């Protein structure tokens, strides 16, 4: 995809709020999207084409994940579904006692992780040819509802209500490697592990982002304000930061806020590199493709101000150049 091309909207977007979008971990063309309209959609992002869709959930779909040869989805109906056979068939592989709010697939260990508002984290062993619906391989009770989750290598980071953050080793999730409280004072919206697994970035409903490192990493934690605007009467308008995504090559990251703005950050040099403005609604989700030359942006009202008229939901593919995402002042 040439960086000289302009961003474009995907045709046939969801008809209700977009909850999540994810590029395939290897195939740059495949983009998976979940929505409050109860559908899961698979797009060819290059051809701008809706390739497949399923409507097997009975309520809003809150999260999705690509597996090795299939995709997974979960949501308000508490059911965990696998989308198999070249995205033509769905199968229930398990259930939670509460709404499924977060899914992550560890490609390193072929394990699916599901987090729920029932205050459990569950692991599903996907090494068998077919995942059975009999039981999860492991169930871990956590103190609060799972809000967001991120897997990288052997680690998974789990953000809970009450600002608690748990770090687990996917190979043994019976006990957490780390338990900490977010340095942000307001509820967590999104958590993302760094590509090198040295730490994570988390965002809050109150226009702040924290960059935190794990035990044993000799770097300092810090937090910063973002996604804020000054109104005409000099009142500071503060927006939730709904989405975070890391660039797969340069390890810079983007944030998306309810202000409809996407910002690109260099975590090592603590600088903002770029700002992409003018999206019609809140940024609900973000993801880079595997090559790092395209960014998918979900522009979808996130109901921070309750029921009101809002622009239709849209998905944008923005070509990204090498120079945009590369840290500017890093010494050779």
């Amino acid at each position: 995809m040439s960086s000289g091309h302009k961003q474009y909207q995907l045709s046939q977007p969801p008809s209700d709020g977009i909850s999540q979008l994810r590029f395939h971990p290897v195939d740059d063309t495949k983009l998976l999207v979940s929505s409050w309209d109860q559908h899961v959609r698979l797009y060819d992002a290059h051809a701008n084409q809706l390739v497949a869709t399923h409507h097997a959930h009975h309520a809003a779909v809150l999260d999705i994940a690509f597996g090795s040869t299939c995709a997974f989805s979960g949501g308000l109906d508490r059911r965990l579904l696998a989308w198999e056979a070249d995205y033509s068939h769905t199968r229930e592989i398990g259930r939670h006692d509460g709404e499924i709010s977060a899914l992550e697939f560890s490609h390193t260990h072929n394990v699916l992780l599901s987090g729920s508002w029932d205050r459990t984290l569950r692991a599903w062993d996907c090494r068998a040819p077919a995942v059975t619906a009999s039981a999860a391989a492991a169930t871990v009770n956590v103190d609060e509802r799972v809000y967001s989750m991120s897997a990288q290598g052997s680690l998974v980071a789990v953000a809970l209500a009450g600002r608690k953050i748990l770090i687990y080793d996917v190979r043994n999730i019976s006990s957490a490697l780390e338990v900490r409280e977010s340095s942000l004072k307001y509820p967590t919206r999104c958590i993302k592990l760094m590509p090198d697994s040295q730490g994570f970035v988390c965002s809050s409903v109150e226009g702040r982002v924290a960059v935190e490192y794990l035990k044993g990493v000799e770097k300092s934690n810090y937090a910063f304000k973002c996604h804020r605007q000054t109104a005409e009467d000099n009142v500071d308008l503060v927006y939730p930061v709904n989405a975070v995504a890391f660039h797969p090559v340069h390890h810079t990251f983007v944030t998306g806020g309810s202000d409809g703005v996407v910002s690109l950050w260099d975590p090592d040099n603590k600088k903002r590199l770029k700002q992409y403005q003018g999206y019609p609604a809140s940024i609900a989700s973000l993801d880079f493709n595997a090559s790092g030359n395209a960014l998918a942006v979900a522009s979808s009202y996130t109901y921070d101000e309750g029921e009101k008229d809002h622009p239709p939901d849209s998905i944008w593919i923005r070509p990204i150049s090498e120079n945009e995402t590369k840290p500017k002042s890093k010494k050779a």
Side-chain angles (χ1 to χ4, degrees), residues 1 7-10 18 20-24 28-33 43-46 66 243-248 254-256 262 276 279 283-290 292-299 314-320:
M1 182 180 292
Q7 68 173 350
Y8 55 91
Q9 287 189 64
L10 288 187
I18 301 166
Q20 188 69 268
L21 53 73
R22 299 200 189 215
F23 270 112
H24 191 276
D28 283 348
T29 66
K30 288 188 172 71
L31 181 71
L32 196 64
V33 179
Y43 294 90
D44 182 327
H46 282 192
F66 271 112
V244 178
F246 274 94
H247 190 268
V254 284
T255 57
V262 176
Y276 310 105
Y279 290 98
I283 307 301
S285 184
L286 295 164
D287 201 22
F288 285 103
N289 65 1
N293 63 6
L295 175 68
V297 180
S299 174
S314 55
I315 301 166
W316 301 76
I317 304 297
R318 173 179 282 275
I320 297 290

Side-chain angles (χ1 to χ4, degrees), residues 49-61:
Q49 183 178 2
L50 179 63
V51 175
T53 181
H54 86 69
H55 187 203
H57 284 285
H58 308 317
V61 188

Side-chain angles (χ1 to χ4, degrees), residues 8-127:
Y8 55 91
Q9 287 189 64
L10 288 187
S11 59
Q12 297 180 266
S15 59
D16 202 353
I18 301 166
S19 54
Q20 188 69 268
L21 53 73
R22 299 200 189 215
F23 270 112
H24 191 276
V26 177
D27 187 343
D28 283 348
T29 66
K30 288 188 172 71
L31 181 71
L32 196 64
V33 179
S34 58
S35 170
W36 281 76
D37 67 8
Q38 305 180 16
H39 286 72
V40 176
R41 292 170 172 84
L42 180 67
Y43 294 90
D44 182 327
H46 282 192
N48 194 356
Q49 183 178 2
L50 179 63
V51 175
T53 181
H54 86 69
H55 187 203
H57 284 285
H58 308 317
V61 188
L62 298 186
D63 208 355
I64 43 176
F66 271 112
S68 299
T69 58
C70 64
F72 302 99
S73 55
L76 295 185
D77 63 2
R78 306 180 177 188
R79 299 159 65 235
L80 182 58
L81 301 182
W83 196 13
E84 305 170 309
D86 204 22
Y87 308 101
S88 64
H89 171 73
T90 56
R91 181 168 57 89
E92 182 177 315
I93 60 171
R95 293 194 180 202
H96 274 265
D97 298 323
E99 294 78 357
I100 297 173
S101 53
L103 293 178
E104 282 288 307
F105 187 83
S106 170
H107 290 270
T108 306
H109 302 289
N110 216 27
V111 170
L112 176 69
L113 299 149
S114 57
S116 170
W117 295 343
D118 66 9
R119 305 185 182 198
T120 68
L121 171 67
R122 301 187 185 192
W124 310 82
D125 190 347
C126 298
R127 287 174 293 188

Side-chain angles (χ1 to χ4, degrees), residues 306-317:
E307 287 282 354
K308 71 171 191 178
D309 289 338
H310 55 84
D313 304 289
S314 55
I315 301 166
W316 301 76
I317 304 297

